[in-house]
Amino acid sequence: MEIIIQPTYQHLVSIAADIVKRALLKKPELVMGLATGSTPIGLYEALVRMHKEEGLDFSAVTTFNLDEYVGIPKTHPSSYHTFMETQFFRHVNIPVENRYLPQNTAADHGAFCERYEAAIARAGGIDIQILGIGREGHIGFNEPSSSLGSRTRIKTLTRSTLEANAPHFGGDIDAVPTLAITMGVGTIMEARQCLLLANGASKASAIASAVEGPITAEVPASVLQMHPCTVVLLDEAAASALKRAAYYRQVYANKLRLLGE
Ligand code: PGA
């Protein structure tokens, strides 16, 4: 794992955007795994800026979103379909037919999940997967106790996740859907590169467990320790419970020195 600690959220999203931009310039038909939630908003803003101001071209890109609630329509203001449309899709040039999100209205969820996995495989697999982390260490909506080999399926959300997401449902925890379709931990682990973003003190404990704790289904993000190419981008608050923060800073400073940056 490469752990990069930055002074502010703006710094970490600008590094994340730069990683995506480099990947896209190298491979215009990039397959991106996308995340929702408050964490990646600054990343999408930076990518939209690069598209509008520098002509960064998304016309050959394919995207797969991590997850979507079950039980609300796509058009709901807090659905992840709506999030992606307003935060990213309407501002860049990814063809509509190349944008995949879990469908919460499928008649047969099991069959849909199999088709979603097949579509990822058909696209050649995910090149770069954007991830946030839940306060209890989930990635996607893979809550604690999720199989580390799991595939796309329906999950029941924990109380902690419902509380964290209640502000998007008028502060009413009972209005938050209790089920979601999510890529599995095994699906995420097949991405060629993972970018895990976290900011704020509410993520410090989950980050410390994921990065420095044992690999356990109790903290699904901890499995990323087994991933060959994961970058963890943190602000100071999210990094505040890491025991080896000074070492990670030293590693990153050395990397920049070696790259002459
Ligand atoms: P957040 O959610 O970005 O809204 O904090 C992250 C997550 O639950 O994965």
Side-chain angles (χ1 to χ4, degrees):
M1 280 176 147
E2 181 179 9
I3 296 130
I4 302 177
I5 303 169
Q6 290 292 298
T8 68
Y9 174 71
Q10 276 313 321
H11 287 87
L12 80 88
V13 290
S14 105
I15 292 177
D18 203 50
I19 292 171
V20 172
K21 177 181 163 181
R22 285 178 201 224
L24 185 48
L25 292 176
K26 206 158 135 194
K27 182 179 178 185
E29 64 286 4
L30 197 69
V31 180
M32 297 178 66
L34 300 180
T36 49
S38 52
T39 310
I41 288 177
L43 168 59
Y44 294 132
E45 284 171 356
L47 292 174
V48 167
R49 210 162 39 242
M50 288 169 169
H51 172 67
K52 290 193 191 307
E53 292 171 12
E54 302 167 25
L56 189 64
D57 182 16
F58 291 84
S59 63
V61 164
T62 299
T63 64
F64 289 92
N65 263 80
L66 279 171
D67 45 22
E68 176 59 286
Y69 294 111
V70 172
I72 54 170
K74 280 184 208 177
T75 51
H76 188 285
S78 295
S79 78
Y80 289 160
H81 280 76
T82 301
F83 176 100
M84 288 313 303
E85 189 56 36
T86 54
Q87 299 294 333
F88 193 44
F89 290 153
R90 75 166 57 142
H91 310 290
V92 292
N93 61 337
I94 302 169
V96 176
E97 64 275 17
N98 288 8
R99 309 171 192 167
Y100 293 82
L101 287 99
Q103 295 301 313
N104 52 10
T105 48
D108 180 340
H109 290 303
F112 170 79
C113 291
E114 281 179 29
R115 287 201 302 278
Y116 203 65
E117 291 276 341
I120 294 173
R122 228 174 18 250
I126 291 169
D127 292 305
I128 190 159
Q129 175 67 57
I130 311 302
L131 296 169
I133 187 168
R135 295 172 192 181
E136 294 187 316
H138 71 203
I139 43 175
F141 271 138
N142 294 285
E143 301 288 32
S145 80
S146 288
S147 160
L148 300 185
S150 52
R151 312 301 306 188
T152 302
R153 69 213 183 292
I154 291 204
K155 284 296 291 181
T156 296
L157 304 182
T158 60
R159 177 92 193 163
S160 161
T161 297
L162 298 178
E163 281 169 5
N165 293 354
H168 302 293
F169 290 84
D172 177 8
I173 193 169
D174 295 326
V176 186
T178 55
L179 298 176
I181 298 182
T182 181
M183 277 187 207
V185 180
T187 320
I188 293 168
M189 285 293 281
E190 284 174 9
R192 293 182 187 91
Q193 179 173 25
C194 290
L195 289 189
L196 175 65
L197 277 49
N199 65 298
S202 67
K203 302 296 174 66
S205 156
I207 284 294
S209 301
V211 173
E212 296 177 336
I215 296 171
T216 167
E218 181 58 21
V219 182
S222 65
V223 76
L224 292 168
Q225 293 174 33
M226 296 287 290
H227 191 279
C229 187
T230 285
V231 181
V232 181
L233 284 153
L234 307 171
D235 73 351
E236 296 285 353
S240 60
L242 289 169
K243 289 197 297 272
R244 293 188 186 276
Y247 175 66
Y248 308 140
R249 289 182 211 278
Q250 199 185 343
V251 171
Y252 187 57
N254 282 343
K255 178 183 172 183
L256 294 183
R257 203 159 46 236
L258 287 169
L259 290 173
E261 289 182 9

